[in-house]
Amino acid sequence: MTSLRNLEYEQLWLNAHTDTRAAVYTFSSCITLADLNADGDFKLIVADLGTGSTNVKLKVYKGTSLHSETALLDVPTGVVSFYMDFSEPRMPAIAVASGSNIYIYKNMRPYFKFSLPSMDVNPLEKDLWMQVREEQIEVGVLMELLNNLRLEIGFAQLSTQSQHLLAQDPTTVPSFVQQYCKVPIKRQTVVTCVTTLKKALADEKAVSCLVVGTESGEILVLDPEAFTILEKIKLCHQESSTLIVPAVLSAFGLHAVEFRIVAACRDGSLRLARRGWTESKLLVQLPAQPVAMTVSPENASITIALMNQTLQCFSKKGKLQWVVTLPAAACALCPIPLPHQSTTLVAVSLNGGLLQLYNGRQLVDVIKAPQSVSGLVFGKFGQEENALIMFTVDGSLLVKILKRTAHFNLQGGSTSANVVPGVAQQIKLQIPKKTRLFLDQTMRERDNCVMMHRTFQRDLFQLRVDVARACVQALQSCNNPISLEGAEPVKLSAQVLGLGPLFKMVITLQNISASTLIQDIGILFHFDDKMYSMEKPFIKVPILLPGVEYPYETMIRNISELALSDQIRVMVVREGQTQPVLAAIINMPVCDLLGMV
Amino acid sequence: MGLFDKLVTLFGLRKQEVKVLVVGLNNSGKTTVLNHFKSEDDKSTEIVPTVGFNIEKFKNQNVGFTALDMSGQGRYRDLWEFYYKDCQGIIFVVDSSDRLRLAVVRHELDLLLQHPDVSSRALPILFLANKMDQRDALSSVKIASGLGLDRILDKPWHICASNAITGEGLEEGVTWFTQQVRQVGQPGNRPNRTGPLASGKNN
């Protein structure tokens, strides 16, 4: 069953390209697609982490071939493409965040380097380093005092130099101190994640600001041209000592109008920052650490893959919407917008090489990759609009293209049947307060329950009697369009065509008996001769065979001067019988005044 | 049809009118290919992505072609199938430098070949492996194997490498195409020539 379904799934994607020897080791945050040369041919820009210390490169793929590569100085934490200015042709810049710097590339040439502002160094620490430089204290004393300081203010508050020193092997300590005591000590934070935020226009090619999350627990919004800090949002409260470090950032809205930045932090909290805020607000404390996150542009709901093998969705206010348990640990996640089906799927890559596509909580597709996919991006690549780019842990590159005819089954057949009700259903709904009117009504009903029931019962019986009477009357006067009694089971239906004053009436007779023939009957019209004149007031009907519908037509002219309408009685009569077999009343339509003129 | 008419058609003396469909992915060079066949005065200097389709007319070896230059953009590819019915040949333009989308080309070709209006008829198909001048262009042989053209057994087809900007390779392809169309147009297998084609005036 499962294998069969997988076969069915696979047909939605075309295997466009597989390069098992690409040897690119990367994550989703270091992959971006951009129209680098402004020629409509989208390139794949990927920061290759190499071995972690060597072979760190920024690679550009044009279609299936490697277009260019640039060496990077440090391990990158994020790569984004964004438009810096309005200059023509509209070529996007590439921002590579690594260490405490952000390198901006334009036309794949280094353009600008932005360094995060340095932070204040503890005066005691500064003093210690100065004393060791002037050889007033021994190296051992320095180590001991620094260790004390660490216990006092925390490791994260020390300068980079001290941090390195404390992490050194005891044998290398003296040489390290010798080497670094000359340089002025600095405390600098590093970039943990980076994303973009549109500045003033929501256009696809509009200028965007960079949004940077730092190790010091801050979110910075940078101006795209001057690279000044436009906003500085602290993730933690001023007084609390624990640092909250953002791991994944997602920003949407416009910087100049209103924006929201959602940060999934390393301590497992989901935090929100908005325009004008200097501190973030805790949305929800997640049950596990985040792996990857996406925010839906339509309703701002947050879909996040966690380290406890679940995919969870939160509303923009942080309310849990649903939880899906994944069959394996999640490695990466990316949104797949499908404008032709007006939805956005979420692709989750799992440990082991499986890729699952979810529409909300419903699994709609499964893709198999030879290895766990660590980097996943969907978007325009080359000339293709719907390309899914995957980098596996063993460094191979896979490109799949969504078929033009692909249609995901979003209604869900068998897959949605076994979805268990989520935690969302156990959340108490907010019911509005009871009104005064409601209470009065309840009181009245409680007091007069016997009387109300009797009144209801009486009215119900009255209604039934009325119905029965009307029914008997109709049967007695044969005033119903279906005659079931006696030897003539005939069904009559009438249709009035035209706008007037000339109408056409079509009477259809049908013998609804199983085998008996009906003969010697006719159709008689009864009408006001001041109102209407009829072509054939009586129609002689030949033998009616069982089951066959017989249409009869006659023309009716409204001869009244006034634009009034009247009823016409149609009766099916039998020769030598005074009572009609059946009858119907037809309300004639008001005739079109214009037609009379 | 009289004997004279038959002879005239056989020798290709009569001016024949055929309707051909030009399809292919976006940016493969369909409009540029057709632009090459236009007279010097009509040639457009700037080619922009086609929206919907354009109708172009040109003549080759006494055969008048009415070419429907279909847009290759994903959202307009649905239109192609509506014109399969009343065309007498298909020119399929492939961007031979776009290795990434060869799978997409194959998928579109499969859709075309499986369409009832195409699968039931022996329509000649000319494949143009365009942009042969590009550095990373695939050879026409590689494209033929990549698209699985050897599977097409019931239709005459031909592939040739081309460069629509200089016009290289186009003449060869169109000469083959004209011959095929002419054969189809011979007695017993004559295409339907009623409707707009019969009245279509060609200078």
Side-chain angles (χ1 to χ4, degrees):
Chain A
M1 179 64 202
T2 326
S3 62
L4 193 91
R5 218 190 309 158
N6 286 350
L7 274 176
E8 185 188 306
Y9 284 147
E10 282 290 333
Q11 290 167 1
L12 294 177
W13 298 87
L14 296 166
N15 281 322
H17 178 56
T18 307
D19 185 0
T20 49
R21 277 184 260 169
V24 177
Y25 305 92
T26 190
F27 300 105
S28 295
S29 59
C30 295
I31 313 171
T32 187
L33 294 161
D35 184 11
L36 269 190
N37 303 54
D39 54 359
D41 185 20
F42 280 69
K43 313 285 190 300
L44 169 67
I45 300 112
V46 51
D48 181 7
L49 275 71
T51 58
S53 51
T54 56
N55 273 332
V56 186
K57 278 172 182 166
L58 188 65
K59 294 182 172 175
V60 178
Y61 280 88
K62 180 185 191 292
T64 56
S65 55
L66 189 62
H67 188 245
S68 74
E69 53 181 23
T70 318
L72 293 176
L73 298 172
D74 204 352
V75 176
T77 48
V79 175
V80 286
S81 71
F82 67 109
Y83 289 92
M84 292 173 65
D85 45 35
F86 289 102
S87 64
E88 292 285 341
R90 306 282 286 133
M91 283 204 269
I94 303 296
V96 181
S98 81
S100 50
N101 303 312
I102 294 173
Y103 300 92
I104 311 292
Y105 291 83
K106 255 195 141 179
N107 207 7
M108 286 326 284
R109 287 194 185 86
Y111 176 76
F112 187 75
K113 176 178 136 183
F114 171 80
S115 295
L116 292 177
S118 56
M119 294 181 298
D120 302 333
V121 183
N122 189 293
L124 186 66
E125 189 188 349
K126 210 175 191 172
D127 210 41
L128 282 173
W129 278 96
M130 208 157 75
Q131 283 179 11
V132 90
R133 186 166 50 205
E134 286 156 15
E135 292 177 358
Q136 288 170 351
I137 54 167
E138 293 288 309
V139 177
V141 182
L142 173 75
M143 285 292 279
E144 200 183 318
L145 288 172
L146 277 179
N147 262 321
N148 290 345
L149 193 66
R150 176 173 79 163
L151 294 176
E152 200 181 314
I153 61 170
F155 190 71
Q157 304 291 325
L158 292 175
S159 68
T160 334
Q161 228 158 320
S162 309
Q163 284 176 344
H164 276 292
L165 178 66
L166 291 174
Q168 285 288 319
D169 197 60
T171 52
T172 55
V173 165
S175 61
F176 184 87
V177 173
Q178 276 296 315
Q179 196 182 342
Y180 286 98
C181 67
K182 303 284 189 297
V183 286
I185 65 163
K186 272 200 296 191
R187 193 157 81 88
Q188 227 175 8
T189 184
V190 293
V191 181
T192 57
C193 44
V194 62
T195 186
T196 56
L197 172 67
K198 294 268 183 291
K199 198 173 180 203
L201 285 169
D203 190 32
E204 194 191 346
K205 289 191 172 181
V207 172
S208 301
C209 304
L210 283 179
V211 181
V212 183
T214 68
E215 191 72 43
S216 59
E218 280 176 337
I219 296 174
L220 308 175
V221 180
L222 305 179
D223 183 85
E225 270 174 302
F227 287 96
T228 50
I229 296 169
L230 296 173
E231 312 268 344
K232 192 175 196 172
I233 301 154
K234 278 208 159 312
L235 281 173
C236 48
H237 290 294
Q238 211 75 48
E239 53 266 28
S240 73
S241 62
T242 51
L243 269 180
I244 296 166
V245 184
V248 194
L249 278 183
S250 191
F252 52 99
L254 296 175
H255 176 259
V257 186
E258 174 64 55
F259 65 86
R260 295 163 75 93
I261 300 172
V262 180
C265 304
R266 256 182 233 161
D267 65 336
S269 63
L270 200 60
R271 287 172 180 273
L272 173 75
R274 296 177 71 166
R275 182 182 161 79
W277 292 11
T278 52
E279 266 182 25
S280 70
K281 195 183 90 180
L282 177 73
L283 276 182
V284 67
Q285 186 69 37
L286 300 167
Q289 266 63 34
V291 177
M293 173 177 75
T294 175
V295 178
S296 149
E298 291 113 47
N299 55 3
S301 68
I302 304 152
T303 310
I304 186 161
L306 300 181
M307 287 191 191
N308 61 357
Q309 287 195 20
T310 56
L311 185 70
Q312 308 201 345
C313 179
F314 296 90
S315 74
K316 63 177 176 183
K317 295 204 168 130
K319 285 267 189 302
L320 183 65
Q321 307 276 339
W322 46 261
V323 181
V324 173
T325 309
L326 301 169
C331 299
L333 177 151
C334 85
I336 298 184
L338 299 173
H340 64 288
Q341 285 194 266
S342 58
T343 186
T344 301
L345 304 181
V346 174
V348 188
S349 96
L350 303 174
N351 198 7
L354 206 63
L355 232 82
Q356 293 191 326
L357 271 65
Y358 286 91
N359 174 45
R361 67 161 72 164
Q362 183 203 337
L363 180 67
V364 291
D365 196 9
V366 169
I367 301 171
K368 272 192 177 146
Q371 279 282 328
S372 305
V373 174
S374 59
L376 187 65
V377 156
F378 179 85
K380 275 188 192 167
F381 184 30
Q383 296 284 338
E384 184 54 50
E385 303 221 335
N386 302 316
L388 183 69
I389 292 132
M390 297 179 268
F391 284 98
T392 63
V393 285
D394 62 351
S396 43
L397 162 67
L398 293 106
V399 182
K400 284 185 187 282
I401 292 175
L402 189 66
K403 282 188 186 173
R404 176 170 64 89
T405 50
H407 198 87
F408 290 97
N409 179 18
L410 302 180
Q411 263 58 50
S414 56
T415 43
S416 65
N418 50 18
V419 171
V420 288
V423 186
Q425 294 193 2
Q426 287 155 24
I427 295 169
K428 267 201 158 183
L429 293 174
Q430 281 196 331
I431 298 164
K433 279 187 176 169
K434 289 175 185 124
T435 57
R436 175 90 195 155
L437 183 71
F438 177 80
L439 290 175
D440 288 352
Q441 188 73 2
T442 318
M443 286 299 284
R444 197 175 68 83
E445 281 174 12
R446 200 185 293 162
D447 294 343
N448 306 322
C449 57
V450 177
M451 203 185 80
M452 285 173 112
H453 179 68
R454 277 187 193 144
T455 315
F456 173 73
Q457 287 293 327
R458 200 197 62 214
D459 288 355
L460 185 65
F461 279 120
Q462 189 68 47
L463 183 71
R464 283 178 181 161
V465 167
D466 285 350
V467 170
R469 272 187 195 144
C471 186
V472 167
Q473 202 192 353
L475 286 173
Q476 278 171 350
S477 62
C478 300
N479 202 0
N480 52 336
I482 299 174
S483 134
L484 286 169
E485 293 182 297
E488 288 87 22
V490 181
K491 189 175 130 188
L492 180 148
S493 59
Q495 210 180 355
V496 181
L497 308 172
L499 295 168
L502 193 64
F503 296 101
K504 180 191 259 187
M505 177 154 344
V506 183
I507 306 288
T508 312
L509 286 182
Q510 192 185 5
N511 179 355
I512 52 171
S513 73
S515 58
T516 39
L517 297 177
I518 296 173
Q519 48 189 334
D520 300 334
I521 57 167
I523 304 169
L524 182 71
F525 295 96
H526 181 252
F527 56 91
D528 186 350
D529 60 356
K530 291 190 184 67
M531 290 284 291
Y532 296 102
S533 76
M534 198 171 266
E535 185 194 2
K536 290 183 274 185
F538 180 78
I539 302 169
K540 173 96 176 133
V541 178
I543 288 177
L544 297 181
L545 290 172
V548 186
E549 285 190 352
Y550 295 87
Y552 298 99
E553 295 174 1
T554 180
M555 304 302 285
I556 302 167
R557 181 176 284 278
N558 189 336
I559 50 169
S560 153
E561 292 291 311
L562 305 159
L564 293 172
S565 65
D566 196 17
Q567 290 181 332
I568 293 181
R569 267 172 93 96
V570 186
M571 285 174 273
V572 177
V573 291
R574 190 180 190 88
E575 267 180 43
Q577 192 179 318
T578 47
Q579 206 174 24
V581 176
L582 52 87
I585 294 171
I586 294 158
N587 285 315
M588 293 298 288
V590 178
C591 75
D592 191 354
L593 270 175
L594 286 172
M596 290 179 74
V597 177
Chain B
M1 185 192 272
L3 182 67
F4 178 72
D5 278 0
K6 276 184 185 171
L7 282 172
V8 163
T9 320
L10 199 66
F11 291 114
L13 295 172
R14 168 178 291 222
K15 248 203 284 182
Q16 216 181 328
E17 289 279 350
V18 289
K19 206 171 186 179
V20 295
L21 206 59
V22 184
V23 294
L25 302 189
N26 52 327
N27 200 36
S28 59
K30 298 174 292 298
T31 311
T32 317
V33 166
L34 289 177
N35 195 40
H36 177 76
F37 292 120
K38 283 193 215 165
S39 62
E40 280 305 322
D41 313 335
D42 299 344
K43 270 192 177 120
S44 46
T45 49
E46 200 169 326
I47 310 285
V48 291
T50 308
V51 173
F53 65 89
N54 294 332
I55 295 178
E56 308 289 356
K57 286 188 177 171
F58 63 93
K59 210 163 87 174
N60 185 286
Q61 298 173 26
N62 223 13
V63 176
F65 287 95
T66 305
L68 262 78
D69 175 19
M70 304 303 295
S71 172
Q73 289 170 52
R75 58 177 173 279
Y76 294 117
R77 281 179 222 157
D78 296 339
L79 293 177
W80 296 1
E81 57 183 275
F82 297 109
Y83 299 92
Y84 293 161
K85 204 167 195 166
D86 52 26
C87 72
Q88 282 117 49
I90 293 172
I91 299 179
F92 202 109
V93 187
V94 183
D95 178 356
S96 49
S97 66
D98 194 352
R99 288 159 192 251
L100 184 74
R101 291 205 300 169
L102 203 59
V104 182
V105 177
R106 187 177 175 141
H107 178 231
E108 293 294 347
L109 178 65
D110 287 348
L111 288 178
L112 185 147
L113 293 174
Q114 283 158 16
H115 195 274
D117 290 341
V118 177
S119 62
S120 58
R121 300 197 291 158
L123 283 176
I125 306 179
L126 171 67
F127 292 92
L128 290 176
N130 202 14
K131 307 198 188 181
M132 61 188 254
D133 55 313
Q134 297 271 317
R135 196 160 44 91
D136 49 354
L138 290 163
S139 69
S140 57
V141 177
K142 275 189 179 156
I143 287 184
S145 67
L147 297 180
L149 297 187
D150 47 335
R151 296 169 303 153
I152 310 173
L153 303 170
D154 56 341
K155 291 178 186 47
W157 62 267
H158 182 74
I159 184 163
C160 59
S162 69
N163 178 356
I165 295 170
T166 61
E168 225 176 320
L170 291 181
E171 287 307 325
E172 180 208 332
V174 169
T175 308
W176 174 86
F177 196 66
T178 313
Q179 281 166 4
Q180 288 300 320
V181 166
R182 199 175 266 164
Q183 276 171 26
V184 172
Q186 272 174 17
N189 206 2
R190 252 169 71 88
N192 182 13
R193 282 178 62 187
T194 53
L197 285 180
S199 60
K201 200 114 173 92
N202 197 305
N203 39 9

